């Protein structure tokens, strides 16, 4: 009986984790929809923003993107197939320098520490990297300066997406 109760709690908890979250903000609500892994869909002020879209997501339920932010070069963050499925002709792409030239339209390359207003949204790039974890001694999966995390300012709220980084 305890096992079943535990499973029900786990299933309900997982279901709650993938439901959209609404945050009241100046100018309207911010709606955050976790899609899969690092992929999040954000809606605010008539704009749709996707962070790290991936083919693992249920892209049939995703809304077309006004802005797509990509944090790193690996396929679970930079997925051209997923990007093709949610892009519009007017989509603006935001990415670190390691991804320059990889997008099919207007692209803003932003370095760690930079803040820019992109498509009316304040985007601050924050370093995303590992200090220890890597495939072998002396090698890191995510080197300092290559990837970005992002802080978005929407309706007076700041929302942090850490990118591929280590605690």
């Amino acid at each position: 009986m305890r096992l079943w109760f535990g499973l029900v709690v786990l299933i309900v908890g997982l279901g709650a984790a993938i439901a959209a979250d609404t945050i009241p903000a100046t100018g309207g609500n911010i709606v955050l929809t976790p899609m899969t892994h690092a992929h999040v869909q954000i809606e605010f002020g008539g704009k749709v923003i996707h962070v790290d879209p991936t083919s693992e997501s249920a892209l049939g339920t995703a809304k077309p993107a006004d802005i797509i932010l990509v944090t790193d070069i690996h396929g679970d963050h930079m997925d051209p197939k997923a990007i093709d499925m949610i892009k519009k002709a007017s989509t603006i792409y935001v990415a670190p320098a390691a991804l320059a030239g990889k997008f099919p339209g207007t692209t803003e390359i932003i370095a760690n520490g930079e803040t820019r207003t992109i498509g009316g949204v304040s985007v601050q790039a924050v370093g995303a990297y590992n200090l220890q974890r890597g495939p072998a001694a002396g090698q890191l999966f995510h080197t300092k300066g290559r990837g970005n995390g992002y802080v978005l300012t929407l309706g007076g709220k700041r929302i942090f997406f850490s990118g591929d980084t280590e605690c």
Side-chain angles (χ1 to χ4, degrees):
M1 183 65 173
R2 285 184 188 167
L3 177 61
W4 283 110
F5 178 74
L7 286 173
V8 168
V9 169
L10 177 64
I11 291 167
V12 170
L14 289 174
I18 61 171
D21 194 8
T22 301
I23 301 168
T26 303
N29 289 331
I30 302 167
V31 179
L32 299 164
T33 306
M35 302 296 281
T36 275
H37 189 54
H39 183 189
V40 178
Q41 176 180 277
I42 307 150
E43 299 170 74
F44 176 74
K47 292 195 181 307
V48 176
I49 303 165
H50 285 268
V51 180
D52 287 341
T54 176
S55 298
E56 295 173 9
S57 299
L59 294 174
T61 64
K63 295 184 179 178
D66 295 297
I67 301 171
I68 295 175
L69 295 104
V70 178
T71 62
D72 203 7
I73 61 173
H74 300 132
D76 57 338
H77 299 273
M78 173 55 184
D79 184 340
K81 189 166 143 185
I83 289 169
D84 281 345
M85 292 182 69
I86 61 169
K87 72 179 182 187
K88 303 190 293 192
S90 60
T91 298
I92 301 169
Y93 305 91
V94 180
L99 290 168
K102 302 287 185 183
F103 300 95
T106 303
T107 305
E108 294 279 344
I109 298 300
I110 184 169
N112 295 170
E114 278 189 88
T115 300
R116 292 203 201 145
T117 299
I118 299 169
V121 175
S122 175
V123 178
Q124 178 184 5
V126 179
Y129 56 92
N130 295 137
L131 293 173
Q132 297 177 13
R133 191 169 162 265
Q139 296 179 330
L140 299 173
F141 286 121
H142 310 101
T143 55
K144 190 171 186 175
R146 186 187 71 210
N148 284 340
Y150 297 105
V151 178
L152 305 183
T153 303
L154 304 165
K157 305 289 184 184
R158 291 170 49 88
I159 305 168
F160 176 55
F161 298 92
S162 65
D164 229 340
T165 196
E166 186 173 52
C167 296

